Amino acid sequence: MSEPRHFVDLWRLDAATLLAILGDAHRRKAARAGWPKGRVDADAPAAGRTLAMIFERNSTRTRFSFDAAMRQLGGSSLISTSTDLQLGRGETIEDTARVLSSMVDAIMLRAERHETMEALAGAATVPVINGLTPRSHPCQILADLMTLEARRGPVAGKTIAWVGDGNNVCASYLHVAGKLGFSLNIACPDAYRPSPDDLARAVEAGGRVMLTDDPRAAVAGADCVVADTWVSMGDVDHEARMQAFGPYQVDEALMDQAGPDAVFLHCLPAHRGEEVTDAVLDGPRSLVWAAAENRIHAQKSVLAWCFGAI
Ligand code: CP
Ligand code: NVA
């Protein structure tokens, strides 16, 4: 039996696969322009298939975008929090994987620990999709890149500036910078840098990565500025973070230091007045709402790839 196509971390996928998924996402989105959101795509690549979703942490976008995505692909989904499952009472993730693999065609997990994601992928005989761990958020980055491409063309040769925590979302940008050929400038306090492993992966893949503690240096000439919350789910050092990230707010003055057509992205939920001002989030340079919608389109193509339709 062939190995399932897991979508756990972007650094595990080659550039051709990433570009094929992104291309499919653009085509699917264009093909259904103006359609009701519940209508099924003409090729229905998930017809007869079911996706199980398990959430160990809160979610709005990931939950609804995957559910809506499966419906648009002609399939269906089942959603549960981990506390509702025997997983929450100590059943192992491996046993859960074995049982769910006999009942559904793919499993999406939002996990408190990245190791849980890897254990699920190691034990499941159906594709496993990473819906966020403390170490990465691959679905978000595909939606972000799709959004940037729609506005500014291919990401190869572009400069993306990350301002804030070197967290899970930042890590997934590092995982594709080299493969897709964009420069990644990261401005963060020393204590909140990306992990050495993720920086090394980016450099090994030929990524052009600049690391600085100066937000103005990072955004200078950038095509896209990206921010995320200063306190992610599971972070406990709230006070220290608020102190450290104070100088990293993305406001209009910082956006003015970026390239003339620079756009702004944020995975959401945003903490208005902290990492980003209302004026930037709601302003003409913000693509955050388009990126949120693109979670559906990008994930439909991830699912289609998992099911072997790409
Ligand atoms: N951006 C994102 O993953 O949002 P949710 O936490 O609402 O799923
Ligand atoms: N970095 C954030 C992303 C939320 C979608 C978190 O992990 O909470």
Coordinates of all heavy atoms in Angstrom, one line a residue, residues 248-297:
Y248 N 7.2 46.6 18.1 CA 7.0 45.8 16.9 C 5.6 45.9 16.3 O 5.1 45.2 15.5 CB 7.3 44.3 17.1 CG 8.8 44.1 17.3 CD1 9.4 44.3 18.6 CD2 9.7 43.7 16.3 CE1 10.7 44.2 18.8 CE2 11.0 43.6 16.5 CZ 11.6 43.8 17.7 OH 12.9 43.6 17.9
Q249 N 4.9 47.0 16.8 CA 3.5 47.2 16.2 C 3.6 47.6 14.7 O 4.4 48.5 14.4 CB 2.8 48.3 17.0 CG 1.4 48.5 16.5 CD 0.7 49.6 17.3 OE1 1.0 50.8 17.1 NE2 -0.3 49.3 18.1
V250 N 2.8 47.0 13.9 CA 2.7 47.5 12.5 C 1.7 48.6 12.4 O 0.5 48.4 12.6 CB 2.3 46.3 11.6 CG1 2.2 46.8 10.1 CG2 3.4 45.2 11.6
D251 N 2.1 49.8 12.2 CA 1.2 51.0 12.0 C 1.5 51.6 10.6 O 2.3 51.1 9.9 CB 1.4 52.0 13.2 CG 2.8 52.5 13.3 OD1 3.6 52.3 12.3 OD2 3.2 53.1 14.3
E252 N 0.8 52.6 10.3 CA 0.9 53.2 9.0 C 2.3 53.7 8.7 O 2.8 53.7 7.6 CB -0.1 54.3 8.8 CG -1.5 53.7 8.6 CD -2.6 54.7 8.3 OE1 -2.8 55.6 9.2 OE2 -3.2 54.7 7.2
A253 N 3.0 54.3 9.8 CA 4.3 54.8 9.6 C 5.3 53.7 9.2 O 6.2 53.9 8.4 CB 4.8 55.5 10.9
L254 N 5.1 52.5 9.8 CA 6.0 51.4 9.5 C 5.7 50.9 8.0 O 6.6 50.6 7.3 CB 5.8 50.2 10.5 CG 6.8 49.1 10.3 CD1 8.3 49.5 10.6 CD2 6.5 47.9 11.2
M255 N 4.4 50.8 7.7 CA 4.0 50.4 6.3 C 4.6 51.4 5.3 O 4.9 51.0 4.2 CB 2.5 50.3 6.2 CG 1.8 49.1 6.9 SD 2.3 47.5 6.3 CE 1.9 47.5 4.6
D256 N 4.7 52.6 5.7 CA 5.2 53.6 4.7 C 6.7 53.4 4.4 O 7.2 53.9 3.4 CB 5.0 55.0 5.3 CG 3.6 55.5 5.2 OD1 2.8 54.9 4.5 OD2 3.2 56.5 5.9
Q257 N 7.4 52.6 5.3 CA 8.8 52.3 5.1 C 8.9 51.1 4.1 O 10.0 50.9 3.6 CB 9.5 51.9 6.4 CG 9.4 52.9 7.5 CD 10.2 54.1 7.1 OE1 11.3 54.0 6.6 NE2 9.6 55.3 7.2
A258 N 7.8 50.4 3.8 CA 7.9 49.3 2.9 C 7.8 49.8 1.5 O 7.7 51.0 1.2 CB 6.8 48.3 3.2
G259 N 7.8 48.8 0.5 CA 7.7 49.2 -0.9 C 6.4 50.0 -1.2 O 5.4 49.9 -0.4
P260 N 6.3 50.7 -2.3 CA 5.2 51.6 -2.6 C 3.9 50.8 -2.7 O 2.8 51.4 -2.4 CB 5.5 52.3 -3.9 CG 6.7 51.5 -4.5 CD 7.4 50.8 -3.3
D261 N 3.9 49.6 -3.2 CA 2.7 48.8 -3.3 C 2.6 47.7 -2.3 O 1.9 46.7 -2.5 CB 2.6 48.1 -4.7 CG 2.7 49.2 -5.8 OD1 2.0 50.2 -5.7 OD2 3.4 49.0 -6.8
A262 N 3.3 47.9 -1.2 CA 3.3 46.8 -0.2 C 1.9 46.5 0.4 O 1.1 47.4 0.6 CB 4.3 47.2 1.0
V263 N 1.7 45.3 0.7 CA 0.4 44.8 1.2 C 0.7 44.3 2.6 O 1.8 44.0 3.0 CB -0.3 43.8 0.4 CG1 -0.6 44.4 -1.0 CG2 0.6 42.5 0.2
F264 N -0.4 44.1 3.4 CA -0.3 43.7 4.8 C -1.1 42.4 4.9 O -2.2 42.3 4.5 CB -0.8 44.7 5.8 CG -0.9 44.2 7.2 CD1 0.3 44.1 7.9 CD2 -2.1 43.8 7.8 CE1 0.3 43.6 9.2 CE2 -2.1 43.4 9.1 CZ -0.9 43.3 9.8
L265 N -0.5 41.4 5.6 CA -1.1 40.1 5.9 C -1.1 39.8 7.4 O -0.1 40.2 8.1 CB -0.5 39.0 5.1 CG -0.8 38.9 3.6 CD1 0.1 37.9 2.9 CD2 -2.3 38.6 3.3
H266 N -2.1 39.1 7.9 CA -2.1 38.7 9.3 C -3.1 37.4 9.3 O -4.1 37.5 8.7 CB -2.7 39.8 10.1 CG -2.7 39.6 11.6 ND1 -3.3 38.4 12.2 CD2 -2.2 40.3 12.6 CE1 -3.1 38.5 13.5 NE2 -2.5 39.6 13.8
C267 N -2.7 36.4 9.9 CA -3.5 35.1 9.9 C -4.8 35.3 10.6 O -5.7 34.5 10.3 CB -2.7 34.0 10.5 SG -2.3 34.1 12.2
L268 N -4.9 36.2 11.5 CA -6.1 36.4 12.3 C -6.3 35.2 13.3 O -5.9 34.1 12.9 CB -7.4 36.6 11.5 CG -7.4 37.8 10.5 CD1 -8.6 37.7 9.7 CD2 -7.2 39.1 11.2
P269 N -6.8 35.4 14.5 CA -7.4 36.6 15.0 C -6.3 37.7 15.3 O -5.2 37.4 15.8 CB -8.1 36.1 16.3 CG -7.4 34.9 16.7 CD -6.9 34.3 15.5
A270 N -6.7 38.9 15.0 CA -5.8 40.1 15.3 C -6.1 40.7 16.7 O -7.3 40.6 17.1 CB -6.0 41.1 14.2
H271 N -5.2 41.2 17.3 CA -5.3 42.0 18.5 C -5.1 43.4 18.2 O -4.0 43.9 18.2 CB -4.4 41.4 19.6 CG -4.6 40.0 19.9 ND1 -4.2 39.0 19.0 CD2 -5.3 39.4 20.9 CE1 -4.6 37.8 19.5 NE2 -5.3 38.0 20.6
R272 N -6.2 44.1 17.9 CA -6.2 45.5 17.4 C -5.5 46.4 18.5 O -5.9 46.3 19.6 CB -7.6 45.9 17.0 CG -8.2 45.2 15.8 CD -9.7 45.5 15.7 NE -10.2 44.9 14.5 CZ -10.4 45.5 13.3 NH1 -10.0 46.8 13.2 NH2 -10.9 44.9 12.3
G273 N -4.6 47.2 18.0 CA -3.9 48.1 18.9 C -2.7 47.5 19.6 O -2.0 48.2 20.3
E274 N -2.5 46.2 19.4 CA -1.3 45.6 19.8 C -0.4 45.4 18.6 O 0.3 46.3 18.2 CB -1.6 44.2 20.6 CG -2.4 44.5 21.9 CD -2.6 43.3 22.7 OE1 -2.1 42.2 22.4 OE2 -3.5 43.4 23.6
E275 N -0.4 44.2 18.0 CA 0.6 44.0 16.9 C 0.2 44.8 15.6 O 1.1 44.9 14.8 CB 0.7 42.5 16.6 CG -0.5 41.8 15.8 CD -1.6 41.3 16.8 OE1 -1.5 41.6 18.0 OE2 -2.5 40.7 16.3
V276 N -1.0 45.2 15.5 CA -1.4 46.0 14.3 C -2.4 47.0 14.7 O -3.3 46.8 15.6 CB -1.9 45.1 13.2 CG1 -3.1 44.3 13.6 CG2 -2.2 45.8 11.9
T277 N -2.4 48.2 14.0 CA -3.4 49.2 14.3 C -4.6 49.0 13.4 O -4.6 48.3 12.4 CB -2.8 50.6 14.0 OG1 -2.4 50.6 12.6 CG2 -1.6 50.9 14.8
D278 N -5.7 49.6 13.9 CA -7.0 49.5 13.1 C -6.7 50.1 11.7 O -7.2 49.5 10.7 CB -8.1 50.3 13.7 CG -8.6 49.7 15.0 OD1 -8.5 48.5 15.2 OD2 -9.2 50.4 15.8
A279 N -6.0 51.2 11.6 CA -5.8 51.8 10.3 C -5.1 50.9 9.3 O -5.5 50.9 8.1 CB -5.0 53.1 10.5
V280 N -4.2 50.1 9.7 CA -3.5 49.2 8.8 C -4.4 48.0 8.5 O -4.7 47.6 7.4 CB -2.2 48.7 9.4 CG1 -1.6 47.5 8.5 CG2 -1.2 49.8 9.5
L281 N -5.0 47.4 9.6 CA -5.8 46.2 9.4 C -7.0 46.5 8.5 O -7.4 45.6 7.7 CB -6.3 45.7 10.8 CG -6.9 44.3 10.8 CD1 -5.8 43.3 10.5 CD2 -7.5 44.0 12.2
D282 N -7.7 47.6 8.7 CA -8.9 48.0 7.9 C -8.5 48.8 6.7 O -9.5 49.3 6.0 CB -9.9 48.7 8.8 CG -10.3 47.8 10.0 OD1 -10.4 46.6 9.8 OD2 -10.5 48.4 11.1
G283 N -7.3 49.1 6.5 CA -6.9 50.1 5.4 C -6.7 49.4 4.0 O -6.9 48.2 3.9
P284 N -6.4 50.3 3.0 CA -6.3 49.8 1.7 C -5.2 48.8 1.4 O -5.2 48.1 0.4 CB -6.2 51.1 0.8 CG -5.6 52.1 1.8 CD -6.2 51.7 3.1
R285 N -4.2 48.8 2.3 CA -3.0 47.9 2.0 C -3.3 46.5 2.7 O -2.5 45.6 2.5 CB -1.8 48.5 2.6 CG -1.4 49.7 1.7 CD -0.1 50.4 2.2 NE -0.2 51.2 3.4 CZ 0.6 52.2 3.7 NH1 1.6 52.5 3.0 NH2 0.4 52.9 4.8
S286 N -4.4 46.4 3.4 CA -4.6 45.1 4.1 C -5.3 44.1 3.2 O -6.3 44.4 2.6 CB -5.5 45.4 5.3 OG -5.9 44.1 5.8
L287 N -4.7 42.9 3.1 CA -5.3 41.8 2.4 C -5.8 40.7 3.3 O -5.9 39.5 2.9 CB -4.3 41.2 1.4 CG -3.8 42.1 0.2 CD1 -2.9 41.3 -0.7 CD2 -4.9 42.7 -0.6
V288 N -5.9 41.0 4.6 CA -6.2 40.0 5.6 C -7.5 39.3 5.3 O -7.7 38.1 5.6 CB -6.1 40.5 7.0 CG1 -4.8 41.0 7.3 CG2 -7.2 41.5 7.3
W289 N -8.5 40.0 4.8 CA -9.8 39.4 4.7 C -9.9 38.5 3.5 O -10.5 37.4 3.5 CB -10.9 40.5 4.6 CG -10.7 41.5 5.7 CD1 -10.2 42.8 5.5 CD2 -10.8 41.3 7.1 NE1 -10.0 43.4 6.8 CE2 -10.4 42.5 7.8 CE3 -11.2 40.2 7.9 CZ2 -10.3 42.6 9.1 CZ3 -11.1 40.4 9.3 CH2 -10.7 41.6 9.9
A290 N -9.1 38.9 2.4 CA -9.0 38.0 1.2 C -8.2 36.8 1.6 O -8.6 35.7 1.2 CB -8.3 38.8 0.1
A291 N -7.2 36.9 2.5 CA -6.4 35.7 2.9 C -7.3 34.8 3.7 O -7.2 33.6 3.6 CB -5.2 36.2 3.7
A292 N -8.2 35.4 4.6 CA -9.0 34.5 5.4 C -10.0 33.7 4.4 O -10.1 32.5 4.6 CB -9.9 35.4 6.3
E293 N -10.5 34.4 3.4 CA -11.4 33.6 2.5 C -10.5 32.6 1.7 O -11.0 31.4 1.5 CB -12.0 34.6 1.4 CG -12.8 33.8 0.4 CD -13.2 34.5 -0.8 OE1 -13.4 35.8 -0.8 OE2 -13.4 33.9 -1.9
N294 N -9.3 32.9 1.4 CA -8.5 32.0 0.7 C -8.1 30.7 1.4 O -7.6 29.8 0.9 CB -7.3 32.7 0.1 CG -7.6 33.5 -1.1 OD1 -8.6 33.3 -1.8 ND2 -6.8 34.6 -1.4
R295 N -8.3 30.7 2.8 CA -8.2 29.5 3.5 C -9.0 28.4 2.9 O -8.6 27.2 2.7 CB -8.5 29.7 5.0 CG -7.6 30.6 5.8 CD -6.2 30.0 6.0 NE -6.3 28.7 6.6 CZ -6.3 28.5 8.0 NH1 -6.3 29.6 8.8 NH2 -6.4 27.3 8.5
I296 N -10.2 28.7 2.5 CA -11.1 27.7 1.9 C -10.4 27.2 0.6 O -10.3 26.0 0.3 CB -12.5 28.2 1.5 CG1 -13.3 28.6 2.7 CG2 -13.3 27.2 0.7 CD1 -14.7 29.0 2.4
H297 N -10.1 28.1 -0.3 CA -9.6 27.8 -1.6 C -8.3 27.0 -1.6 O -8.1 26.0 -2.3 CB -9.5 29.0 -2.5 CG -10.8 29.8 -2.6 ND1 -11.9 29.3 -3.1 CD2 -11.1 31.0 -2.1 CE1 -12.9 30.2 -3.0 NE2 -12.4 31.2 -2.4

